Amino acid sequence: MDWDDLRVFLAVARGESLSAAGRVLRMDPATVGRRVARLEQGLGAPLFAKSPQGYALTEAGARLVDHAESAEQAALLAAEAVKGRSEGLSGQVRIGAPDGCANYLLPQVCAAIADQNPELEVQIVALPRVVNLSRREADMAIAVSPPTAGRLVVQKIADYRLHLAASDAYLAANAPIGTLDDLRGHRIVGYIPDMIFDKELDYLADLGMNRVELASNSVAVQFQWIKGGAGLGIVHDFALPQAEGVKRLLTDEMELIRSFYLVRHADDRRLERMNRFAEALVAGLRAELARLEVQAGL
């Protein structure tokens, strides 16, 4: 059995389509399809059930996944052993993260790591949902809740803080806010309720609010509304240094504390390269969080 065919098989299993696999493998979908057909012919069994919705694993395909992933891990370990330990990191690492972290923390942290490792290629996938590591959407992910299922390794990175905030322009044009009761009648910015993908992001529930006049599934969009004076809402303290004229409100009455976690494949603990990158990432995020929260006035 050819490892390269197994590599193609895994890409289709994870992407559930020839086109998705082709983008990952940098092959045209027709070539991907031929490689899958060749593997199925060699094994004498169909590996996928094809439908308009995509490619779903058959029973035989599902049995093959674990073996293919073991072969993938062995290939990675072999490549690392041949290259040996070097002073710097190289190759590609993809990180999945919620967009608050992806917009306001990861860019500067990853840029600093890349500065120290010129042969390293870092990709940040900002998604308003949980990143699926089993489908290899990313090599590692940052989450706001530690996952409890799957062959994953979870490491707490740090706590972070959030507060109600509004721009000077909004505060000057609207009724004063001295207590939580004063929030009634103010325009609230927040998440689209049915698109909150993690209970830890349901910030407004802690304030007993169930009406959001300006809503988005993106933290960056919410932040732009607040910066522009369109309303008030919950803001990450680490984002405040990027928003001159936005101030925290009711800090004695309301403070939310959440946590970031680094989530990795259990098998990746055997890869020194990934361990070293994870170590640098966690250290960088902790330092950057502390720096930005000091700037925000904590």
Side-chain angles (χ1 to χ4, degrees), residues 181-293:
D181 288 339
D182 293 336
L183 296 177
R184 296 189 182 93
H186 282 270
R187 181 188 283 165
I188 303 300
V189 174
Y191 278 103
I192 299 171
D194 62 357
M195 297 187 75
I196 295 175
F197 64 89
D198 191 297
K199 61 181 176 58
E200 296 295 329
L201 302 179
D202 194 6
Y203 308 133
L204 297 178
D206 289 9
L207 301 177
M209 295 181 180
N210 53 21
R211 184 165 181 264
V212 182
E213 287 86 353
L214 291 174
S216 173
N217 66 335
S218 166
V219 168
V221 172
Q222 295 173 36
F223 197 40
Q224 289 301 318
W225 271 328
I226 292 168
K227 284 170 62 177
L232 59 87
I234 302 293
V235 171
H236 299 79
D237 283 358
F238 59 70
L240 286 173
Q242 298 190 31
E244 184 178 353
V246 174
K247 61 179 59 175
R248 294 178 297 159
L249 308 173
L250 307 177
T251 55
D252 291 336
E253 295 187 50
M254 199 286 299
E255 178 182 71
L256 300 178
I257 299 177
R258 298 292 190 264
S259 303
F260 284 132
Y261 298 87
L262 182 66
V263 185
R264 300 174 56 195
H265 296 277
D267 290 340
D268 285 354
R269 288 180 300 175
R270 301 167 63 191
L271 296 172
E272 181 193 12
R273 169 177 165 273
M274 299 301 278
N275 290 334
R276 291 169 61 197
F277 181 86
E279 181 180 349
L281 183 66
V282 169
L285 285 170
R286 287 172 177 167
E288 186 66 1
L289 266 169
R291 182 184 75 83
L292 291 174
E293 289 193 340

Side-chain angles (χ1 to χ4, degrees), residues 10-11 13-15 24 69-70 72-73 76 92 94 123 125 131-140 151 264-269 271 274:
L10 276 178
R14 290 164 178 164
V24 172
E69 288 184 336
S70 294
E72 178 183 52
Q73 196 69 19
L76 291 170
Q92 182 187 100
R94 178 177 291 181
Q123 298 180 348
V125 181
V131 174
N132 192 324
L133 291 182
S134 297
R135 292 185 180 175
R136 291 286 177 174
E137 289 184 336
D139 297 301
M140 57 186 69
R151 297 187 63 255
R264 300 174 56 195
H265 296 277
D267 290 340
D268 285 354
R269 288 180 300 175
L271 296 172
M274 299 301 278

Side-chain angles (χ1 to χ4, degrees), residues 53-74:
Q53 286 70 45
Y55 276 51
L57 288 166
T58 62
E59 185 177 344
R63 289 196 301 268
L64 183 59
V65 167
D66 286 344
H67 298 289
E69 288 184 336
S70 294
E72 178 183 52
Q73 196 69 19

Side-chain angles (χ1 to χ4, degrees), residues 149-163:
R151 297 187 63 255
L152 302 170
V153 176
V154 181
Q155 176 185 3
K156 183 176 178 179
I157 299 171
D159 293 332
Y160 61 96
R161 290 165 177 79
L162 308 98
H163 286 88

